[in-house]
């Protein structure tokens, strides 16, 4: 008798959990994304590739976040470039206007000094409107510990 009672109780619990889960299911037409209820948000975008598609996608991702109506005016963003990503800041490439547009919206453009040293790249080869950090990885680590979201497209 105890086994039957325990089995009936367990079945009732499973059925009630299933019913509760169905009640909590979100109707896709009623879902509009997370609510940005904080005063401000901070994000670091990491770029360590010289692939043109990845560079363009990264810059587009940043612009999309800045233009998201939930985040507009609340988002502080930094683009941390290291490794192959240094290509985006080279004067010989065609990204100047996109970078200036991001910077005009308040995006910090930061290049890893280690990358320059390891690849024998002079600061003169890069756009003069970018900033430098001692280490790209170090910058990401510090920012993450400060509560910044990290995005690596």
């Amino acid at each position: 008798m105890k086994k039957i009672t325990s089995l009936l109780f367990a079945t009732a619990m499973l059925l009630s959990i299933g019913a509760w889960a169905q009640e909590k299911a979100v109707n896709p037409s009623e879902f509009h994304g997370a609510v940005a209820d904080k005063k401000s948000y901070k994000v670091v975008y990491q770029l360590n590739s010289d692939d043109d598609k990845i560079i363009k996608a990264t810059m587009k991702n940043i612009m999309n976040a800045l233009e998201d109506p939930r985040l507009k005016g609340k988002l502080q963003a930094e683009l941390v470039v290291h490794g192959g990503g240094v290509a985006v800041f080279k004067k010989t490439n065609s990204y100047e206007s996109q970078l200036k547009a991001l910077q005009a919206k308040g995006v910090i453009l930061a290049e890893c000094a280690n990358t320059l040293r390891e690849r024998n790249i002079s600061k003169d080869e890069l756009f003069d409107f970018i900033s430098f950090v001692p280490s790209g990885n170090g910058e990401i680590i510090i920012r993450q510990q400060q509560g910044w979201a990290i995005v690596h497209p």
Side-chain angles (χ1 to χ4, degrees):
M1 185 69 167
K2 278 188 174 182
K3 284 185 180 182
I4 292 174
T5 304
S6 294
L7 186 59
L8 287 174
F9 179 75
T11 302
M13 290 300 292
L14 287 173
L15 289 174
S16 63
I17 289 171
W20 178 80
Q22 285 179 350
E23 285 179 28
K24 297 296 180 185
V26 177
N27 180 341
S29 66
E30 295 174 3
F31 181 73
H32 303 290
V35 175
D37 55 4
K38 292 186 176 188
K39 260 181 118 171
S40 65
Y41 295 85
K42 298 176 181 180
V43 62
V44 169
Y45 284 84
Q46 177 185 10
L47 178 61
N48 62 348
S49 172
D50 62 357
D51 183 314
D52 185 58
K53 288 180 184 177
I54 293 172
I55 291 171
K56 287 180 178 176
T58 300
M59 290 192 287
K60 185 161 181 68
N61 284 185
I62 297 169
M63 193 61 81
N64 286 345
L66 292 168
E67 295 299 322
D68 185 315
R70 299 168 298 171
L71 296 171
K72 201 161 188 149
K74 295 181 173 186
L75 185 63
Q76 184 177 357
E78 179 175 354
L79 173 61
V80 175
V81 172
H82 61 104
V86 69
V88 74
F89 290 153
K90 286 190 172 183
K91 292 176 184 175
T92 56
N93 287 325
S94 61
Y95 305 113
E96 183 175 10
S97 62
Q98 294 109 310
L99 291 169
K100 283 187 173 181
L102 290 173
Q103 194 172 50
K105 291 189 174 278
V107 177
I108 300 164
L109 305 174
E111 172 60 45
C112 169
N114 283 342
T115 296
L116 299 183
R117 187 179 62 257
E118 291 166 2
R119 294 177 181 233
N120 294 316
I121 299 171
S122 165
K123 287 183 179 181
D124 294 334
E125 296 176 56
L126 307 180
F127 297 118
D128 61 1
F129 55 87
I130 63 168
S131 301
F132 299 90
V133 294
S135 151
N137 283 313
E139 184 73 0
I140 293 164
I141 291 165
I142 293 166
R143 291 298 197 193
Q144 186 173 36
Q145 292 303 310
Q146 292 173 338
W148 290 51
I150 308 298
V151 179
H152 188 208

